[in-house]
Amino acid sequence: GHRTASAMTPSANAKANFEDALAGRFESLRERIVDASRQTMDYSVGFAKHELAKNRAQNAIDILNAAMGQHGEAQAALTIRARAYAKLGQPSKGIEDLRRLLEDRPSQFVVRGNLAMLLEADGQIREALREIDLVLEQKDNDFYRSKKARMLENLATTEN
């Protein structure tokens, strides 16, 4: 008679079992690689923060560039790199990083607050005020209000 589709030959059955086992091993390996990559990025970000705290901003940037080259962009890495660029007196490079982060996560008020401060450092005070107002809509507190007050003073002195 006819064989049903569910009845497999021993070799076909062995092949299917082997493929399932291989797929399981591959998935397990993939998870371990992703986990190792995340740990490496976390270590790199931690090391970069340390370098930044020691006023070695260029080292921090180099570490983060290498990590992101290997493991892709990460929010923490872009945030620290932006701070490092600001310390080097290159806020415009940090502004690019933070704008890229906000494209994916527009509600991140901490990133937006950092962006406002870098814009101010770059002399883009009106743009900084627009960003700080967006931050204050989300998180109205003394810290951001004091930043805004300083920006307004800064604007008054630069426009007079």
Side-chain angles (χ1 to χ4, degrees):
H2 275 0
R3 285 189 350 173
T4 61
S6 63
M8 298 201 308
T9 63
S11 66
N13 197 19
K15 184 174 185 264
N17 287 342
F18 176 73
E19 286 171 354
D20 286 349
L22 199 58
R25 291 282 297 278
F26 176 75
E27 188 55 30
S28 166
L29 188 59
R30 193 187 68 75
E31 286 169 10
R32 283 172 37 205
I33 290 168
V34 166
D35 194 45
S37 178
R38 191 178 307 110
Q39 286 176 7
T40 303
M41 181 58 84
D42 290 349
Y43 172 77
S44 297
V45 167
F47 188 30
K49 279 182 180 175
H50 169 79
E51 290 297 282
L52 196 55
K54 297 283 185 189
N55 284 315
R56 294 190 290 255
Q58 189 59 57
N59 284 3
I61 291 166
D62 294 343
I63 290 161
L64 295 168
N65 286 345
M68 288 191 285
Q70 289 281 304
H71 307 287
E73 290 188 346
Q75 179 174 343
L78 286 169
T79 302
I80 302 302
R81 187 169 74 177
R83 286 193 2 219
Y85 279 129
K87 259 196 175 173
L88 286 179
Q90 301 171 0
S92 59
K93 289 183 177 180
I95 288 166
E96 289 172 35
D97 284 346
L98 297 180
R99 284 198 196 282
R100 213 163 45 252
L101 274 178
L102 286 171
E103 284 171 14
D104 298 335
R105 306 173 188 81
S107 64
Q108 290 271 342
F109 69 87
V110 173
V111 174
R112 195 172 296 282
N114 286 332
L115 174 61
M117 287 174 247
L118 287 188
L119 286 164
E120 182 187 22
D122 199 41
Q124 300 179 54
I125 300 166
R126 289 197 176 283
E127 187 64 24
L129 280 164
R130 273 195 290 278
E131 295 296 342
I132 209 76
D133 282 339
L134 290 172
V135 171
L136 286 165
E137 284 174 20
Q138 268 188 283
K139 186 78 175 171
D140 190 352
N141 66 25
D142 290 340
F143 176 76
Y144 291 118
R145 267 191 250 121
S146 71
K147 297 291 180 199
K148 181 176 180 176
R150 191 191 66 216
M151 288 174 189
L152 288 168
E153 286 171 24
N154 199 339
L155 190 64
T157 58
T158 56
E159 292 194 342
N160 289 339

